[in-house]
Amino acid sequence: MYQLNENYQKLPGSYLFSTIAKKVAAFTEANPDKKVIRLGIGDVTQPLAPAIIEALHKAVDEMASAETFRGYAPDLGYDFLRNAIAEHDYKAKGCDISADEIFVSDGAKSDSANIQEIFGADCRIAVTDPVYPVYVDSNVMAGRCGDYNYDTQMWSRVIYMPCTKENGFAPAFPSETPDMIYLCFPNNPTGTTITKEQLQAWVDYANKNGSVILYDAAYEAYISEDNVAHSIYECEGAKTCAIELRSFSKNAGFTGVRLGFTVVPEELKCGDVSLHAMWARRHGTKFNGAPYIVQRAGEAVYSETGKAQLKEQVAYYMKNANTIKNGLQAAGYEVFGGVNAPYIWLKTPDGMTSWDFFDYLLEKANVVGTPGSGFGPSGEGYFRLTAFGSYENTVAALERIQAL
Ligand code: MLT
């Protein structure tokens, strides 16, 4: 008789956003006359920018003729895209990252789940709490997290770094030394961030303690303040301790197109072993490259026209963020985030639990958000709204919330 990966049996419930989708589906079925506004999952709503559509069309046409047809993509990504990323995301920002340190993929969600594979089974992970659930769940599947305690909602081998309003949503160094440290700034879900100096302190900590930082910078396009790093490689010494995960989903609307990349610097070594070589081996074995047409679309993100169009798109979503933030504040809510990120994190009113507030908002205002406790125990009593809706829906949602 075959056996199963028993670690999967340890996972409580379904994936957060699947649970929410099921609840919303049940509500809409029971209330077909209600117009539900979805500000839950951080999925974009604006169409792809014209420069990207043009690049997609052109690449599709190339696939129609034998001379320009492309089959398997190079497993680490086409040079045209890796060069554009190195140039625009790194060299232009003063970061010494070369094209061959960039591994193109089908998105940051899969990379953030897959990257743990190259680390030992006994490694201790540290996560901010609340946290994007993929980091923890993927380590649970790999058997690295110990057992789940339903009372505390914590895993026995995970080191939690609470981020609450009391500490300004900035994680403190944990009392136990972690091997792998997951950081995401600007942060999902809190929408807050840390300064470049605070990030530098994490880099110094990791180098001193022999830890690796898995840095998720999916929301860097939303940074509006000067003292916030767009990449961890803006910090001195980051190349010997950090891997960076990046996405085209939030800055360019690729949630349905799928494209991302991971940076693994050549200098990153565990003893004599190169993590760059290990990730290249893993990528080469398990991944056949992001589609050519999608990588051409990704290249267009870095064209002058593409950049200008995407700046407008980011501004559109940040106008929503402002609308949510101001609207909630006017209604008496305590609100965080939304300045350097497309997420607004609010304190639930009257001591309601996150899930009670989810039900209340869905039933009374027909607005969907994400319960903070779904991201970890320190998210209890908080709630997340996303700025990725349309402007009209965002305004309407806030009117409904204010009318409660
Ligand atoms: C979220 O809502 O947290 C994100 O959209 C999920 C994701 O990027 O996978």
Side-chain angles (χ1 to χ4, degrees):
M1 180 69 180
Y2 58 84
Q3 290 172 349
L4 297 172
N5 177 349
E6 61 191 30
N7 297 312
Y8 276 66
Q9 316 309 317
K10 294 184 177 180
L11 286 164
S14 60
Y15 182 60
L16 173 63
F17 293 105
S18 316
T19 310
I20 292 173
K22 275 186 215 135
K23 271 187 164 259
V24 176
F27 179 83
T28 47
E29 203 183 304
N31 302 276
D33 53 317
K34 300 264 163 55
K35 185 181 176 288
V36 171
I37 299 178
R38 290 174 167 78
L39 302 181
I41 192 165
D43 194 5
V44 295
T45 51
Q46 292 305 292
L48 293 171
I52 294 165
I53 292 292
E54 198 182 312
L56 279 169
H57 280 298
K58 190 159 165 261
V60 168
D61 286 344
E62 284 180 63
M63 297 300 247
S65 103
E67 289 73 43
T68 48
F69 169 79
R70 313 278 180 129
Y72 289 128
D75 49 18
L76 307 187
Y78 280 103
D79 284 345
F80 62 77
L81 181 58
R82 298 171 89 197
N83 287 331
I85 293 169
E87 198 52 49
H88 296 269
D89 280 333
Y90 294 103
K91 300 241 159 63
K93 305 234 164 74
C95 303
D96 177 25
I97 294 293
S98 63
D100 63 10
E101 293 173 308
I102 291 159
F103 297 80
V104 174
S105 74
D106 65 349
K109 180 176 182 179
S110 17
D111 279 356
S112 69
N114 291 331
I115 193 73
Q116 48 74 31
E117 271 186 47
I118 64 170
F119 298 98
D122 290 336
C123 283
R124 294 284 305 274
I125 71 160
V127 294
T128 58
D129 170 24
V131 71
Y132 179 46
V134 173
Y135 312 151
V136 176
D137 288 3
S138 57
N139 278 286
V140 171
M141 292 168 179
R144 217 173 266 119
C145 295
D147 294 310
Y148 188 68
N149 180 325
Y150 281 83
D151 294 329
T152 61
Q153 296 177 26
M154 288 177 165
W155 293 91
S156 58
R157 291 192 80 247
V158 173
I159 299 169
Y160 291 88
M161 304 182 290
C163 292
T164 58
K165 70 169 188 166
E166 285 73 25
N167 64 6
F169 302 97
F173 298 132
S175 49
E176 296 171 279
T177 307
D179 301 300
M180 298 154 62
I181 304 167
Y182 285 85
L183 295 178
C184 170
F185 292 111
N187 187 254
N188 178 19
T190 65
T192 58
T193 194
I194 58 173
T195 63
K196 188 169 165 190
E197 291 70 38
Q198 287 173 308
L199 185 58
Q200 180 67 59
W202 275 103
V203 168
D204 296 342
Y205 172 91
N207 275 323
K208 185 167 144 241
N209 291 293
S211 316
V212 64
I213 297 178
L214 304 163
Y215 192 70
D216 185 344
Y219 297 94
E220 65 77 33
Y222 291 85
I223 293 172
S224 65
E225 293 180 323
D226 284 342
N227 63 345
V228 182
H230 286 254
S231 162
I232 196 165
Y233 303 114
E234 288 177 39
C235 297
E236 214 172 305
K239 288 180 77 178
T240 54
C241 69
I243 288 174
E244 182 163 287
L245 308 156
R246 294 278 279 259
S247 168
F248 285 77
S249 289
K250 319 291 170 163
N251 63 332
F254 278 40
T255 53
V257 178
R258 307 309 306 152
L259 190 65
F261 64 90
T262 288
V263 180
V264 188
E266 298 272 7
E267 284 103 307
L268 185 56
K269 298 217 163 95
C270 181
D272 291 339
V273 182
S274 154
L275 275 71
H276 180 275
M278 281 181 80
W279 189 240
R281 184 71 173 84
R282 189 266 168 208
H283 225 51
T285 303
K286 293 200 176 182
F287 187 59
N288 248 339
Y292 173 71
I293 56 174
V294 171
Q295 293 196 50
R296 279 294 184 201
E299 183 188 29
V301 166
Y302 299 100
S303 69
E304 285 314 309
T305 324
K307 277 201 255 186
Q309 291 168 353
L310 292 173
K311 204 169 159 199
E312 272 178 41
Q313 204 168 79
V314 165
Y316 175 94
Y317 291 130
M318 285 314 274
K319 186 172 157 197
N320 290 347
N322 225 23
T323 303
I324 299 173
K325 207 172 153 71
N326 294 339
L328 288 173
Q329 269 163 352
Y333 287 87
E334 201 177 355
V335 182
F336 309 92
V339 175
N340 294 294
Y343 293 123
I344 282 79
W345 190 242
L346 57 120
K347 198 92 192 79
T348 56
D350 308 322
M352 278 171 118
T353 68
S354 302
W355 277 109
D356 282 351
F357 189 65
F358 172 90
D359 291 334
Y360 172 75
L361 214 58
L362 181 58
E363 275 157 33
K364 303 280 185 257
N366 309 143
V367 171
V368 181
T370 310
S373 56
F375 297 101
S378 295
E380 183 56 278
Y382 291 92
F383 197 77
R384 193 192 77 176
L385 290 175
T386 160
F388 285 125
S390 70
Y391 179 65
E392 295 69 27
N393 275 346
T394 304
V395 170
L398 265 294
E399 280 169 5
R400 291 185 197 175
I401 294 173
Q402 286 175 338
L404 286 173

PDB file of all heavy atoms in Angstrom, residues 208-240:
ATOM      1  N   LYS A 208      25.425  37.850  10.524  1.00  0.00           N
ATOM      2  CA  LYS A 208      26.082  37.530  11.797  1.00  0.00           C
ATOM      3  C   LYS A 208      25.691  36.125  12.295  1.00  0.00           C
ATOM      4  O   LYS A 208      26.522  35.378  12.816  1.00  0.00           O
ATOM      5  CB  LYS A 208      25.673  38.586  12.831  1.00  0.00           C
ATOM      6  CG  LYS A 208      26.367  38.452  14.156  1.00  0.00           C
ATOM      7  CD  LYS A 208      26.146  39.697  15.011  1.00  0.00           C
ATOM      8  CE  LYS A 208      26.018  39.279  16.457  1.00  0.00           C
ATOM      9  NZ  LYS A 208      24.760  39.594  17.079  1.00  0.00           N
ATOM     10  N   ASN A 209      24.413  35.768  12.085  1.00  0.00           N
ATOM     11  CA  ASN A 209      23.911  34.506  12.639  1.00  0.00           C
ATOM     12  C   ASN A 209      23.910  33.341  11.661  1.00  0.00           C
ATOM     13  O   ASN A 209      23.459  32.250  11.998  1.00  0.00           O
ATOM     14  CB  ASN A 209      22.490  34.706  13.171  1.00  0.00           C
ATOM     15  CG  ASN A 209      22.478  35.596  14.404  1.00  0.00           C
ATOM     16  OD1 ASN A 209      22.994  35.216  15.451  1.00  0.00           O
ATOM     17  ND2 ASN A 209      21.944  36.784  14.264  1.00  0.00           N
ATOM     18  N   GLY A 210      24.368  33.577  10.443  1.00  0.00           N
ATOM     19  CA  GLY A 210      24.361  32.498   9.454  1.00  0.00           C
ATOM     20  C   GLY A 210      22.952  32.098   9.032  1.00  0.00           C
ATOM     21  O   GLY A 210      22.685  30.934   8.730  1.00  0.00           O
ATOM     22  N   SER A 211      22.049  33.069   8.998  1.00  0.00           N
ATOM     23  CA  SER A 211      20.680  32.796   8.521  1.00  0.00           C
ATOM     24  C   SER A 211      20.559  33.262   7.074  1.00  0.00           C
ATOM     25  O   SER A 211      21.355  34.057   6.594  1.00  0.00           O
ATOM     26  CB  SER A 211      19.652  33.576   9.347  1.00  0.00           C
ATOM     27  OG  SER A 211      19.925  33.508  10.717  1.00  0.00           O
ATOM     28  N   VAL A 212      19.526  32.762   6.406  1.00  0.00           N
ATOM     29  CA  VAL A 212      19.255  33.255   5.053  1.00  0.00           C
ATOM     30  C   VAL A 212      17.932  34.023   5.112  1.00  0.00           C
ATOM     31  O   VAL A 212      16.988  33.605   5.806  1.00  0.00           O
ATOM     32  CB  VAL A 212      19.202  32.093   4.025  1.00  0.00           C
ATOM     33  CG1 VAL A 212      18.056  31.123   4.295  1.00  0.00           C
ATOM     34  CG2 VAL A 212      19.097  32.619   2.587  1.00  0.00           C
ATOM     35  N   ILE A 213      17.866  35.157   4.410  1.00  0.00           N
ATOM     36  CA  ILE A 213      16.611  35.921   4.346  1.00  0.00           C
ATOM     37  C   ILE A 213      15.942  35.626   3.011  1.00  0.00           C
ATOM     38  O   ILE A 213      16.580  35.715   1.953  1.00  0.00           O
ATOM     39  CB  ILE A 213      16.873  37.451   4.462  1.00  0.00           C
ATOM     40  CG1 ILE A 213      17.481  37.788   5.822  1.00  0.00           C
ATOM     41  CG2 ILE A 213      15.576  38.235   4.238  1.00  0.00           C
ATOM     42  CD1 ILE A 213      17.823  39.264   6.003  1.00  0.00           C
ATOM     43  N   LEU A 214      14.675  35.253   3.059  1.00  0.00           N
ATOM     44  CA  LEU A 214      13.889  35.064   1.849  1.00  0.00           C
ATOM     45  C   LEU A 214      13.016  36.305   1.757  1.00  0.00           C
ATOM     46  O   LEU A 214      12.048  36.449   2.512  1.00  0.00           O
ATOM     47  CB  LEU A 214      13.086  33.768   1.949  1.00  0.00           C
ATOM     48  CG  LEU A 214      14.026  32.577   2.231  1.00  0.00           C
ATOM     49  CD1 LEU A 214      13.291  31.372   2.747  1.00  0.00           C
ATOM     50  CD2 LEU A 214      14.843  32.240   0.995  1.00  0.00           C
ATOM     51  N   TYR A 215      13.396  37.210   0.876  1.00  0.00           N
ATOM     52  CA  TYR A 215      12.811  38.544   0.872  1.00  0.00           C
ATOM     53  C   TYR A 215      11.811  38.696  -0.260  1.00  0.00           C
ATOM     54  O   TYR A 215      12.171  38.645  -1.433  1.00  0.00           O
ATOM     55  CB  TYR A 215      13.938  39.588   0.721  1.00  0.00           C
ATOM     56  CG  TYR A 215      13.464  40.995   0.988  1.00  0.00           C
ATOM     57  CD1 TYR A 215      13.119  41.389   2.276  1.00  0.00           C
ATOM     58  CD2 TYR A 215      13.337  41.926  -0.040  1.00  0.00           C
ATOM     59  CE1 TYR A 215      12.667  42.670   2.542  1.00  0.00           C
ATOM     60  CE2 TYR A 215      12.890  43.210   0.214  1.00  0.00           C
ATOM     61  CZ  TYR A 215      12.560  43.577   1.509  1.00  0.00           C
ATOM     62  OH  TYR A 215      12.105  44.845   1.775  1.00  0.00           O
ATOM     63  N   ASP A 216      10.565  38.874   0.097  1.00  0.00           N
ATOM     64  CA  ASP A 216       9.493  39.011  -0.882  1.00  0.00           C
ATOM     65  C   ASP A 216       9.250  40.504  -1.126  1.00  0.00           C
ATOM     66  O   ASP A 216       8.761  41.214  -0.245  1.00  0.00           O
ATOM     67  CB  ASP A 216       8.235  38.328  -0.321  1.00  0.00           C
ATOM     68  CG  ASP A 216       7.091  38.303  -1.316  1.00  0.00           C
ATOM     69  OD1 ASP A 216       7.133  39.057  -2.299  1.00  0.00           O
ATOM     70  OD2 ASP A 216       6.140  37.519  -1.095  1.00  0.00           O
ATOM     71  N   ALA A 217       9.610  40.943  -2.329  1.00  0.00           N
ATOM     72  CA  ALA A 217       9.466  42.364  -2.660  1.00  0.00           C
ATOM     73  C   ALA A 217       8.394  42.566  -3.731  1.00  0.00           C
ATOM     74  O   ALA A 217       8.491  43.451  -4.571  1.00  0.00           O
ATOM     75  CB  ALA A 217      10.813  42.928  -3.118  1.00  0.00           C
ATOM     76  N   ALA A 218       7.348  41.752  -3.664  1.00  0.00           N
ATOM     77  CA  ALA A 218       6.301  41.787  -4.699  1.00  0.00           C
ATOM     78  C   ALA A 218       5.610  43.147  -4.804  1.00  0.00           C
ATOM     79  O   ALA A 218       5.049  43.475  -5.852  1.00  0.00           O
ATOM     80  CB  ALA A 218       5.263  40.702  -4.413  1.00  0.00           C
ATOM     81  N   TYR A 219       5.650  43.915  -3.718  1.00  0.00           N
ATOM     82  CA  TYR A 219       4.883  45.175  -3.713  1.00  0.00           C
ATOM     83  C   TYR A 219       5.762  46.415  -3.842  1.00  0.00           C
ATOM     84  O   TYR A 219       5.307  47.518  -3.571  1.00  0.00           O
ATOM     85  CB  TYR A 219       4.028  45.235  -2.434  1.00  0.00           C
ATOM     86  CG  TYR A 219       3.026  44.103  -2.410  1.00  0.00           C
ATOM     87  CD1 TYR A 219       3.321  42.901  -1.762  1.00  0.00           C
ATOM     88  CD2 TYR A 219       1.821  44.195  -3.088  1.00  0.00           C
ATOM     89  CE1 TYR A 219       2.428  41.831  -1.785  1.00  0.00           C
ATOM     90  CE2 TYR A 219       0.924  43.138  -3.118  1.00  0.00           C
ATOM     91  CZ  TYR A 219       1.235  41.960  -2.461  1.00  0.00           C
ATOM     92  OH  TYR A 219       0.355  40.908  -2.500  1.00  0.00           O
ATOM     93  N   GLU A 220       7.019  46.230  -4.255  1.00  0.00           N
ATOM     94  CA  GLU A 220       7.955  47.374  -4.263  1.00  0.00           C
ATOM     95  C   GLU A 220       7.495  48.526  -5.145  1.00  0.00           C
ATOM     96  O   GLU A 220       7.814  49.676  -4.886  1.00  0.00           O
ATOM     97  CB  GLU A 220       9.376  46.928  -4.614  1.00  0.00           C
ATOM     98  CG  GLU A 220       9.602  46.367  -6.004  1.00  0.00           C
ATOM     99  CD  GLU A 220       9.665  47.373  -7.121  1.00  0.00           C
ATOM    100  OE1 GLU A 220      10.144  48.492  -6.891  1.00  0.00           O
ATOM    101  OE2 GLU A 220       9.221  47.029  -8.237  1.00  0.00           O
ATOM    102  N   ALA A 221       6.698  48.251  -6.185  1.00  0.00           N
ATOM    103  CA  ALA A 221       6.265  49.327  -7.097  1.00  0.00           C
ATOM    104  C   ALA A 221       5.374  50.341  -6.379  1.00  0.00           C
ATOM    105  O   ALA A 221       5.166  51.450  -6.879  1.00  0.00           O
ATOM    106  CB  ALA A 221       5.518  48.725  -8.284  1.00  0.00           C
ATOM    107  N   TYR A 222       4.860  49.953  -5.217  1.00  0.00           N
ATOM    108  CA  TYR A 222       3.920  50.831  -4.507  1.00  0.00           C
ATOM    109  C   TYR A 222       4.601  51.733  -3.477  1.00  0.00           C
ATOM    110  O   TYR A 222       3.943  52.510  -2.792  1.00  0.00           O
ATOM    111  CB  TYR A 222       2.819  49.976  -3.844  1.00  0.00           C
ATOM    112  CG  TYR A 222       1.948  49.368  -4.915  1.00  0.00           C
ATOM    113  CD1 TYR A 222       2.312  48.172  -5.534  1.00  0.00           C
ATOM    114  CD2 TYR A 222       0.833  50.040  -5.388  1.00  0.00           C
ATOM    115  CE1 TYR A 222       1.561  47.649  -6.576  1.00  0.00           C
ATOM    116  CE2 TYR A 222       0.075  49.526  -6.429  1.00  0.00           C
ATOM    117  CZ  TYR A 222       0.445  48.327  -7.012  1.00  0.00           C
ATOM    118  OH  TYR A 222      -0.293  47.823  -8.057  1.00  0.00           O
ATOM    119  N   ILE A 223       5.922  51.627  -3.396  1.00  0.00           N
ATOM    120  CA  ILE A 223       6.647  52.438  -2.415  1.00  0.00           C
ATOM    121  C   ILE A 223       6.577  53.911  -2.823  1.00  0.00           C
ATOM    122  O   ILE A 223       6.872  54.258  -3.971  1.00  0.00           O
ATOM    123  CB  ILE A 223       8.125  51.973  -2.318  1.00  0.00           C
ATOM    124  CG1 ILE A 223       8.173  50.563  -1.720  1.00  0.00           C
ATOM    125  CG2 ILE A 223       8.957  52.946  -1.495  1.00  0.00           C
ATOM    126  CD1 ILE A 223       9.545  49.908  -1.752  1.00  0.00           C
ATOM    127  N   SER A 224       6.164  54.754  -1.872  1.00  0.00           N
ATOM    128  CA  SER A 224       6.092  56.185  -2.187  1.00  0.00           C
ATOM    129  C   SER A 224       7.061  56.984  -1.324  1.00  0.00           C
ATOM    130  O   SER A 224       7.308  58.147  -1.582  1.00  0.00           O
ATOM    131  CB  SER A 224       4.665  56.694  -1.969  1.00  0.00           C
ATOM    132  OG  SER A 224       4.321  56.614  -0.598  1.00  0.00           O
ATOM    133  N   GLU A 225       7.601  56.349  -0.280  1.00  0.00           N
ATOM    134  CA  GLU A 225       8.487  57.094   0.611  1.00  0.00           C
ATOM    135  C   GLU A 225       9.954  56.796   0.294  1.00  0.00           C
ATOM    136  O   GLU A 225      10.292  55.668  -0.108  1.00  0.00           O
ATOM    137  CB  GLU A 225       8.159  56.747   2.075  1.00  0.00           C
ATOM    138  CG  GLU A 225       6.782  57.250   2.460  1.00  0.00           C
ATOM    139  CD  GLU A 225       6.400  56.926   3.901  1.00  0.00           C
ATOM    140  OE1 GLU A 225       6.750  55.843   4.396  1.00  0.00           O
ATOM    141  OE2 GLU A 225       5.733  57.763   4.530  1.00  0.00           O
ATOM    142  N   ASP A 226      10.805  57.796   0.518  1.00  0.00           N
ATOM    143  CA  ASP A 226      12.208  57.685   0.109  1.00  0.00           C
ATOM    144  C   ASP A 226      13.043  56.722   0.936  1.00  0.00           C
ATOM    145  O   ASP A 226      13.982  56.127   0.438  1.00  0.00           O
ATOM    146  CB  ASP A 226      12.885  59.069   0.208  1.00  0.00           C
ATOM    147  CG  ASP A 226      12.453  59.943  -0.950  1.00  0.00           C
ATOM    148  OD1 ASP A 226      11.944  59.377  -1.944  1.00  0.00           O
ATOM    149  OD2 ASP A 226      12.599  61.174  -0.835  1.00  0.00           O
ATOM    150  N   ASN A 227      12.716  56.609   2.210  1.00  0.00           N
ATOM    151  CA  ASN A 227      13.586  55.809   3.084  1.00  0.00           C
ATOM    152  C   ASN A 227      13.205  54.324   3.130  1.00  0.00           C
ATOM    153  O   ASN A 227      13.500  53.624   4.086  1.00  0.00           O
ATOM    154  CB  ASN A 227      13.597  56.395   4.505  1.00  0.00           C
ATOM    155  CG  ASN A 227      12.206  56.335   5.129  1.00  0.00           C
ATOM    156  OD1 ASN A 227      11.215  56.120   4.436  1.00  0.00           O
ATOM    157  ND2 ASN A 227      12.136  56.508   6.438  1.00  0.00           N
ATOM    158  N   VAL A 228      12.520  53.858   2.076  1.00  0.00           N
ATOM    159  CA  VAL A 228      12.121  52.451   2.000  1.00  0.00           C
ATOM    160  C   VAL A 228      12.859  51.802   0.831  1.00  0.00           C
ATOM    161  O   VAL A 228      12.862  52.343  -0.284  1.00  0.00           O
ATOM    162  CB  VAL A 228      10.586  52.327   1.787  1.00  0.00           C
ATOM    163  CG1 VAL A 228      10.172  50.864   1.751  1.00  0.00           C
ATOM    164  CG2 VAL A 228       9.821  53.082   2.869  1.00  0.00           C
ATOM    165  N   ALA A 229      13.482  50.653   1.083  1.00  0.00           N
ATOM    166  CA  ALA A 229      14.260  49.981   0.031  1.00  0.00           C
ATOM    167  C   ALA A 229      13.334  49.269  -0.958  1.00  0.00           C
ATOM    168  O   ALA A 229      12.373  48.619  -0.552  1.00  0.00           O
ATOM    169  CB  ALA A 229      15.211  48.973   0.664  1.00  0.00           C
ATOM    170  N   HIS A 230      13.636  49.407  -2.247  1.00  0.00           N
ATOM    171  CA  HIS A 230      12.877  48.681  -3.273  1.00  0.00           C
ATOM    172  C   HIS A 230      13.384  47.243  -3.394  1.00  0.00           C
ATOM    173  O   HIS A 230      12.670  46.364  -3.849  1.00  0.00           O
ATOM    174  CB  HIS A 230      12.989  49.397  -4.626  1.00  0.00           C
ATOM    175  CG  HIS A 230      12.174  50.656  -4.690  1.00  0.00           C
ATOM    176  ND1 HIS A 230      11.011  50.757  -5.396  1.00  0.00           N
ATOM    177  CD2 HIS A 230      12.357  51.863  -4.093  1.00  0.00           C
ATOM    178  CE1 HIS A 230      10.503  51.968  -5.248  1.00  0.00           C
ATOM    179  NE2 HIS A 230      11.313  52.663  -4.471  1.00  0.00           N
ATOM    180  N   SER A 231      14.646  47.071  -3.054  1.00  0.00           N
ATOM    181  CA  SER A 231      15.240  45.736  -3.116  1.00  0.00           C
ATOM    182  C   SER A 231      16.127  45.563  -1.880  1.00  0.00           C
ATOM    183  O   SER A 231      16.739  46.525  -1.407  1.00  0.00           O
ATOM    184  CB  SER A 231      16.112  45.632  -4.371  1.00  0.00           C
ATOM    185  OG  SER A 231      17.010  44.536  -4.245  1.00  0.00           O
ATOM    186  N   ILE A 232      16.227  44.324  -1.412  1.00  0.00           N
ATOM    187  CA  ILE A 232      17.091  44.084  -0.248  1.00  0.00           C
ATOM    188  C   ILE A 232      18.557  44.306  -0.620  1.00  0.00           C
ATOM    189  O   ILE A 232      19.395  44.590   0.233  1.00  0.00           O
ATOM    190  CB  ILE A 232      16.862  42.682   0.358  1.00  0.00           C
ATOM    191  CG1 ILE A 232      17.458  42.608   1.772  1.00  0.00           C
ATOM    192  CG2 ILE A 232      17.400  41.573  -0.550  1.00  0.00           C
ATOM    193  CD1 ILE A 232      17.002  41.446   2.599  1.00  0.00           C
ATOM    194  N   TYR A 233      18.848  44.230  -1.937  1.00  0.00           N
ATOM    195  CA  TYR A 233      20.246  44.408  -2.348  1.00  0.00           C
ATOM    196  C   TYR A 233      20.698  45.867  -2.288  1.00  0.00           C
ATOM    197  O   TYR A 233      21.837  46.177  -2.577  1.00  0.00           O
ATOM    198  CB  TYR A 233      20.474  43.783  -3.732  1.00  0.00           C
ATOM    199  CG  TYR A 233      20.098  42.314  -3.718  1.00  0.00           C
ATOM    200  CD1 TYR A 233      19.029  41.844  -4.468  1.00  0.00           C
ATOM    201  CD2 TYR A 233      20.770  41.415  -2.880  1.00  0.00           C
ATOM    202  CE1 TYR A 233      18.646  40.512  -4.407  1.00  0.00           C
ATOM    203  CE2 TYR A 233      20.381  40.084  -2.809  1.00  0.00           C
ATOM    204  CZ  TYR A 233      19.325  39.635  -3.575  1.00  0.00           C
ATOM    205  OH  TYR A 233      18.944  38.322  -3.504  1.00  0.00           O
ATOM    206  N   GLU A 234      19.788  46.763  -1.888  1.00  0.00           N
ATOM    207  CA  GLU A 234      20.215  48.129  -1.589  1.00  0.00           C
ATOM    208  C   GLU A 234      20.977  48.133  -0.253  1.00  0.00           C
ATOM    209  O   GLU A 234      21.655  49.097   0.069  1.00  0.00           O
ATOM    210  CB  GLU A 234      18.998  49.060  -1.480  1.00  0.00           C
ATOM    211  CG  GLU A 234      18.343  49.348  -2.822  1.00  0.00           C
ATOM    212  CD  GLU A 234      17.087  50.206  -2.686  1.00  0.00           C
ATOM    213  OE1 GLU A 234      17.071  51.130  -1.853  1.00  0.00           O
ATOM    214  OE2 GLU A 234      16.123  49.932  -3.415  1.00  0.00           O
ATOM    215  N   CYS A 235      20.842  47.063   0.510  1.00  0.00           N
ATOM    216  CA  CYS A 235      21.532  46.974   1.800  1.00  0.00           C
ATOM    217  C   CYS A 235      22.899  46.328   1.623  1.00  0.00           C
ATOM    218  O   CYS A 235      23.043  45.353   0.879  1.00  0.00           O
ATOM    219  CB  CYS A 235      20.719  46.133   2.783  1.00  0.00           C
ATOM    220  SG  CYS A 235      19.126  46.840   3.166  1.00  0.00           S
ATOM    221  N   GLU A 236      23.844  46.852   2.349  1.00  0.00           N
ATOM    222  CA  GLU A 236      25.203  46.327   2.268  1.00  0.00           C
ATOM    223  C   GLU A 236      25.270  44.914   2.858  1.00  0.00           C
ATOM    224  O   GLU A 236      24.723  44.675   3.946  1.00  0.00           O
ATOM    225  CB  GLU A 236      26.107  47.248   3.081  1.00  0.00           C
ATOM    226  CG  GLU A 236      27.492  47.356   2.491  1.00  0.00           C
ATOM    227  CD  GLU A 236      28.259  48.433   3.225  1.00  0.00           C
ATOM    228  OE1 GLU A 236      27.749  49.575   3.278  1.00  0.00           O
ATOM    229  OE2 GLU A 236      29.322  48.107   3.763  1.00  0.00           O
ATOM    230  N   GLY A 237      25.883  44.015   2.120  1.00  0.00           N
ATOM    231  CA  GLY A 237      26.049  42.658   2.635  1.00  0.00           C
ATOM    232  C   GLY A 237      24.889  41.728   2.298  1.00  0.00           C
ATOM    233  O   GLY A 237      24.918  40.541   2.661  1.00  0.00           O
ATOM    234  N   ALA A 238      23.867  42.227   1.601  1.00  0.00           N
ATOM    235  CA  ALA A 238      22.682  41.389   1.339  1.00  0.00           C
ATOM    236  C   ALA A 238      23.002  40.229   0.403  1.00  0.00           C
ATOM    237  O   ALA A 238      22.347  39.179   0.463  1.00  0.00           O
ATOM    238  CB  ALA A 238      21.551  42.231   0.764  1.00  0.00           C
ATOM    239  N   LYS A 239      24.026  40.397  -0.435  1.00  0.00           N
ATOM    240  CA  LYS A 239      24.295  39.333  -1.410  1.00  0.00           C
ATOM    241  C   LYS A 239      24.848  38.058  -0.762  1.00  0.00           C
ATOM    242  O   LYS A 239      24.838  37.001  -1.364  1.00  0.00           O
ATOM    243  CB  LYS A 239      25.252  39.845  -2.488  1.00  0.00           C
ATOM    244  CG  LYS A 239      24.558  40.844  -3.416  1.00  0.00           C
ATOM    245  CD  LYS A 239      25.468  41.375  -4.477  1.00  0.00           C
ATOM    246  CE  LYS A 239      25.683  40.378  -5.574  1.00  0.00           C
ATOM    247  NZ  LYS A 239      26.548  40.922  -6.646  1.00  0.00           N
ATOM    248  N   THR A 240      25.304  38.168   0.473  1.00  0.00           N
ATOM    249  CA  THR A 240      25.792  36.953   1.132  1.00  0.00           C
ATOM    250  C   THR A 240      24.747  36.319   2.046  1.00  0.00           C
ATOM    251  O   THR A 240      25.020  35.300   2.695  1.00  0.00           O
ATOM    252  CB  THR A 240      27.078  37.249   1.953  1.00  0.00           C
ATOM    253  OG1 THR A 240      26.793  38.335   2.839  1.00  0.00           O
ATOM    254  CG2 THR A 240      28.238  37.599   1.064  1.00  0.00           C
TER     255      THR A 240
END
